[in-house]
Amino acid sequence: MIADGKIIGWFQGGSELGPRALGARSILADPRTTASSDALNQRIKHREPFRPFAPAVLADHASTWFDLDVASPFMLLAPPVHSDHADKIAGVVHVDGTARVQTVDTAAAPAYGQLIRHFHQLTGVPVVLNTSFNDREPIVESPADALATFQACDLDAACIGEYLVQRP
């Protein structure tokens, strides 16, 4: 669905601790064009269009796509995007050519890593656009919160544990 341009709410496992959505309470989209980031800002996040979104990249591909030689599992680093890949992930590249990267270790986050690996197999891009699973309210905490946010905003689908909820 993400490879087809859909914007998905992703609610998996226990909640996260820290300043960023790290793949347990996230909205995920295709990073390959700015269409996804524009749609996120207009349809779902209702925020200024200049505010960037983050790339979540498989850890074993991070140094190929970003000038990054350390893990960045908490989205605390904003390295330059390699110039030969910047146009392939335009939806997550900041105006200065950097990106606030999350490296995803599939051993630490198996479902999230598997999703990104599958996206990579479909598209050749080992990166997804990641932002917090919320609109203007706090990040979702429970399945009920995830469903309420899904109903209140214009997400295409929500994956909550083993369940997929889609709009008709």
Side-chain angles (χ1 to χ4, degrees):
M1 293 175 77
I2 296 169
D4 290 336
K6 304 293 184 194
I7 301 174
I8 309 300
W10 180 255
F11 182 101
Q12 300 295 317
S15 72
E16 300 157 324
L17 177 65
R20 307 277 184 252
L22 301 172
R25 305 288 187 277
S26 293
I27 294 174
L28 304 175
D30 189 341
R32 295 176 294 167
T33 69
T34 59
S36 290
S37 55
D38 291 345
L40 262 168
N41 275 328
Q42 294 168 5
R43 292 176 27 203
I44 296 158
K45 299 298 266 187
H46 305 105
R47 63 186 206 175
E48 303 85 359
F50 63 83
R51 293 178 59 188
F53 293 104
V57 60
L58 293 170
D60 54 343
H61 291 271
S63 64
T64 303
W65 290 75
F66 306 94
D67 187 11
L68 184 68
D69 59 1
V70 297
S72 180
F74 303 108
M75 267 189 231
L76 299 176
L77 303 175
V81 179
H82 288 307
S83 59
D84 58 332
H85 288 305
D87 63 331
K88 297 174 188 168
I89 54 170
V92 294
V93 178
H94 303 171
V95 295
D96 66 355
T98 64
R100 191 184 67 219
V101 175
Q102 176 193 14
T103 54
V104 178
D105 177 355
T106 55
Y112 193 35
Q114 183 179 12
L115 176 136
I116 299 170
R117 281 206 191 285
H118 188 66
F119 183 81
H120 182 215
Q121 289 170 348
L122 293 173
T123 66
V125 175
V127 177
V128 295
L129 182 156
N130 174 16
T131 190
S132 58
F133 195 162
N134 66 335
D135 180 357
R136 295 179 188 109
E137 73 285 341
I139 194 168
V140 300
E141 176 58 29
S142 67
D145 292 342
L147 287 171
T149 298
F150 171 73
Q151 289 176 328
C153 71
D154 198 16
L155 286 169
D156 295 306
C159 185
I160 303 170
E162 297 178 6
Y163 298 95
L164 179 66
V165 182
Q166 295 178 285
R167 297 204 182 276

